[in-house]
Amino acid sequence: MSTVPENINELIAAQGNVVRSLKAQGAPKTEVDAQVSKLLELKNLKLGDAKNGSKKGTQFTLKTPKGTRDWAEKDVALREKIFGTVTDIFKRHGGVTLDTPVFELKEILTGKYGEDSKLIYDLKDQGGELCSLRYDLTVPFARWLAMNPKITSIKRFHIAKVYRRDQPAMTKGRMREFYQCDFDIAGTFDSMVADSEALKILVEALDALNVGKYTIKLNHRKILDGIFEVCGVPSDKIRTISSAVDKLDKMPWENVKEEMTEEKGLPEEVADRIGEYVLLKGGPELLAKLKADEKLSANKSASGAFEDMKLLFEYMENFGILDRFSFDMSLARGLDYYTGIIFEAVTEASAPKKIASKKDVKKSDDPEADRSNDDTIGVGSIAAGGRYDNLVGMFSSRKNAQLPCVGISLGLERIFSILRNRIPDDELRANEVEVYVMAFGGGKEWTGFLKERMNVCSELWAAGIKAEFLYKVKAKPRQQFEAADKYGVPVAVILGQDEFNGGNVRIKRMGQKENSDEGVLVPRASMVSELKKLLASL
């Protein structure tokens, strides 16, 4: 139940101005739609108040929960295109699909996500078990592997919704319910072979999706751990300091250092030593520089990872993808389960605006508020992943239960937000209908040819052609053209009395002026073959 504000009319007027201003500025459609939804919500609130009469002050508001949205028509079509693109790539590399429950036992998810564990949605106990909505697809996969010990190697992919109680920024793809597209390789193989193919798959997916210019930041968790050890970070602070370092993509080193020293109790001289390393980025030449560091090379964790990275760079060069990566020492990835390489992809369109200091961070009195208009919030990484060799073993008491894994994860909504703003609206179709079956005629004797249109559609459907017709007995030509144009149907089959009497139909290309092309007359018997030829040429 929601209380109706006394100044509801002022709020409606102000929100209307926001919508008009965005439209005048040519703002992205997703941003305009988000503001229109808010305007409709206010109008519904006022309408409900007027209907309630004596019950003034309470009204059920029709809306989706914060951080979620409805998907319809062209948006669904684009999302399904993304699904299809990545699924084809995953199958090309030998992936088999897996589906797991949308919720897991709470104890399965607990302790796997570091500081992000606070974002897990817990469910009320309704059946004697404490459960939570899945936070990602990786932990459920590891749990499944632990439950199926006979599986010692698998390439698995999973496209499904996950849930995070994060502060939303809807128009930038930061949501509380969203799809992830994961590909993971589980099994014991020679060093870095599976890792390099995982990275190859990631590059293929981002190229195929046409997300624009992108960079994949790459690091190794053991090199980072080695740096922290050499610099003097206590072992119990390594993960929290790692989380602070991971914020270097959106705030300057001075603020990250302040978080380390003032919020997390790290001595200033230790933070300064960390700064000498984590601001470095490059390629194979950076690896050579790190190996030349005597203290770092003497560290067991880092030295072993150096050999991994040397091999990885060689294999990436063989795959022709080395130039897509930046060896970035600031990349830490906050999730606790990573044990080897870590990576994340960002585009020019997805990177957040880097703030000059923490004072520039826009704060809201409502921690639940949508932050779509906050320019310090970007889409963020559109894909990420890494190696996690110990996660499966966390779910099993058996000896030698470890099953090494490496995986990638694409954030579909974040990719969608980039593509939706880039692709012109008229290039997207809400459905895939290829042929609209119409009937033209007139006079008292005209029946509308409804049954004839049904017969033609049945013949087209049986031939595998996607077809529709208007659900009216006597449909006017303009009504039929408008129905076809609404979804961008490319071809029309037109039935007229004269054509029908002669055993013919007329095939017409759509998307042109009605009088500029009357179409081609073809025998009814060859209608299907002629349509297939035409559709194949479009």
Side-chain angles (χ1 to χ4, degrees):
M1 307 294 283
S2 302
T3 301
V4 181
E6 293 182 3
N7 62 336
I8 186 69
N9 290 325
E10 296 177 12
L11 293 173
I12 290 174
Q15 187 62 25
N17 289 335
V18 171
V19 171
R20 284 188 288 275
S21 176
L22 288 174
K23 288 182 177 179
Q25 296 169 19
K29 183 177 183 297
T30 50
E31 187 173 347
V32 175
D33 288 348
Q35 298 303 321
V36 169
S37 296
K38 291 181 180 179
L39 178 60
L40 292 175
E41 182 180 330
L42 289 170
K43 288 182 176 179
N44 286 336
L45 199 60
K46 178 184 177 182
L47 180 63
D49 181 46
K51 289 180 178 179
N52 271 344
S54 61
K55 295 182 180 180
K56 184 176 180 179
T58 58
Q59 168 64 21
F60 181 81
T61 302
L62 285 176
K63 62 184 290 292
T64 60
K66 288 181 180 177
T68 68
R69 57 162 290 188
D70 294 317
W71 294 78
E73 298 198 327
K74 291 184 177 182
D75 289 349
V76 173
L78 177 56
R79 192 168 70 173
E80 289 181 345
K81 182 179 180 181
I82 297 172
F83 284 163
T85 299
V86 296
T87 297
D88 286 346
I89 292 169
F90 292 164
K91 288 182 177 180
R92 185 190 309 158
H93 286 267
V96 295
T97 193
L98 172 70
D99 192 19
T100 61
V102 74
F103 53 90
E104 296 276 349
L105 294 176
K106 183 177 180 179
E107 62 195 48
I108 296 293
L109 305 183
T110 300
K112 311 301 188 301
Y113 303 108
E115 293 185 0
D116 285 348
S117 292
K118 63 181 181 292
L119 304 180
I120 294 174
Y121 269 107
D122 291 330
L123 302 178
K124 184 177 180 180
D125 178 11
Q126 293 186 338
E129 293 180 330
L130 293 176
C131 296
S132 300
L133 293 177
R134 62 187 174 205
Y135 177 91
D136 65 5
L137 302 178
T138 305
V139 171
F141 175 53
R143 186 266 305 154
W144 179 80
L145 287 171
M147 290 177 62
N148 295 272
K150 291 183 179 180
I151 296 175
T152 57
S153 67
I154 186 174
K155 290 180 176 180
R156 150 275 196 188
F157 71 90
H158 191 183
I159 301 176
K161 288 182 176 180
V162 298
Y163 300 84
R164 299 181 186 180
R165 202 177 187 281
D166 203 353
Q167 190 167 16
M170 297 295 289
T171 63
K172 298 176 181 179
R174 296 176 67 93
M175 306 173 73
R176 291 179 169 179
E177 177 190 64
F178 57 95
Y179 271 95
Q180 282 190 334
C181 306
D182 282 20
F183 188 99
D184 293 80
I185 303 171
T188 302
F189 309 106
D190 288 344
S191 179
M192 308 314 291
V193 178
D195 306 65
S196 59
E197 185 175 2
L199 295 176
K200 173 67 172 175
I201 293 168
L202 176 58
V203 169
E204 287 184 6
L206 296 179
D207 285 349
L209 291 170
N210 293 317
V211 297
K213 185 178 180 180
Y214 64 86
T215 299
I216 305 174
K217 296 189 287 186
L218 175 67
N219 203 355
H220 198 297
R221 180 58 71 81
K222 290 182 179 179
I223 293 178
L224 204 56
D225 288 350
I227 288 172
F228 293 148
E229 291 171 7
V230 166
C231 291
V233 178
S235 58
D236 62 339
K237 289 184 180 293
I238 283 180
R239 284 294 161 259
T240 59
I241 297 303
S242 179
S243 177
V245 168
D246 207 38
K247 297 175 183 176
L248 279 168
D249 64 332
K250 49 185 173 288
M251 65 174 63
W253 164 249
E254 290 73 19
N255 291 118
V256 172
K257 177 183 174 181
E258 180 182 333
E259 179 177 326
M260 290 179 177
T261 55
E262 296 187 11
E263 296 179 24
K264 299 184 176 178
L266 196 69
E268 186 170 347
E269 62 273 15
V270 174
D272 287 336
R273 288 197 290 269
I274 292 173
E276 295 175 8
Y277 289 102
V278 297
L279 298 178
L280 300 173
K281 62 181 65 176
E285 76 284 350
L286 175 56
L287 179 61
K289 180 178 179 178
L290 294 173
K291 291 177 71 174
D293 185 310
E294 294 183 2
K295 289 184 179 180
L296 203 54
S297 290
N299 180 272
K300 184 178 179 181
S301 175
S303 61
F306 288 157
E307 295 307 310
D308 284 347
M309 292 302 294
K310 180 177 180 294
L311 273 177
L312 183 62
F313 284 144
E314 291 175 1
Y315 297 155
M316 289 163 62
E317 189 168 15
N318 288 339
F319 277 137
I321 59 173
L322 185 57
D323 62 333
R324 307 300 182 89
F325 291 80
S326 171
F327 187 20
D328 193 326
M329 305 310 298
S330 70
L331 179 65
R333 302 287 297 152
L335 302 180
D336 279 359
Y337 52 66
Y338 288 126
T339 59
I341 66 163
I342 48 177
F343 49 87
E344 67 179 28
V346 293
T347 73
E348 292 177 336
S350 69
K353 176 183 176 182
K354 199 160 187 175
I355 61 173
S357 70
K358 280 190 174 181
K359 292 183 291 185
D360 295 331
V361 176
K362 298 178 182 179
K363 294 185 179 180
S364 170
D365 294 333
D366 180 8
E368 306 289 302
D370 185 284
R371 298 182 67 188
S372 292
N373 295 324
D374 184 348
D375 58 7
T376 64
I377 298 292
V379 173
S381 62
I382 59 172
R387 173 160 286 280
Y388 51 102
D389 287 347
N390 301 328
L391 187 56
V392 176
M394 295 176 69
F395 298 115
S396 177
S397 59
R398 296 180 298 107
K399 292 183 179 180
N400 302 320
Q402 299 291 4
L403 186 60
C405 302
V406 63
I408 66 172
S409 179
L410 292 97
L412 185 138
E413 268 71 15
R414 297 184 178 189
I415 292 172
F416 171 90
S417 70
I418 293 172
L419 298 183
R420 191 66 175 93
N421 288 331
R422 180 187 300 157
I423 300 174
D425 202 57
D426 58 5
E427 290 186 13
L428 291 171
R429 292 186 58 199
N431 70 24
E432 297 181 5
V433 172
E434 300 164 302
V435 177
Y436 209 94
V437 179
M438 306 181 183
F440 296 168
K444 292 183 179 180
E445 303 301 320
W446 174 243
T447 63
F449 271 15
L450 174 61
K451 293 178 181 179
E452 289 77 4
R453 283 181 281 148
M454 289 178 168
N455 288 337
V456 169
C457 277
S458 292
E459 188 176 345
L460 297 181
W461 293 332
I465 296 173
K466 304 178 182 74
E468 274 193 315
F469 66 99
L470 193 63
Y471 294 170
K472 291 184 72 68
V473 175
K474 294 184 179 181
K476 296 178 180 179
R478 180 169 296 279
Q479 292 175 319
Q480 296 175 92
F481 275 112
E482 287 176 349
D485 288 341
K486 179 181 178 181
Y487 292 112
V489 181
V491 177
V493 167
I494 300 172
L495 309 179
Q497 191 70 59
D498 292 340
E499 288 90 345
F500 187 78
N501 290 341
N504 300 312
V505 297
R506 191 172 296 276
I507 296 176
K508 173 181 168 62
R509 284 280 307 274
M510 299 292 287
Q512 305 169 47
K513 292 183 179 179
E514 288 184 29
N515 297 326
S516 66
D517 176 19
E518 295 185 356
V520 179
L521 199 66
V522 301
R524 171 71 183 274
S526 59
M527 174 185 67
V528 169
S529 60
E530 291 297 325
L531 280 172
K532 287 187 173 182
K533 289 179 187 177
L534 177 57
L535 292 171
S537 69
L538 298 181

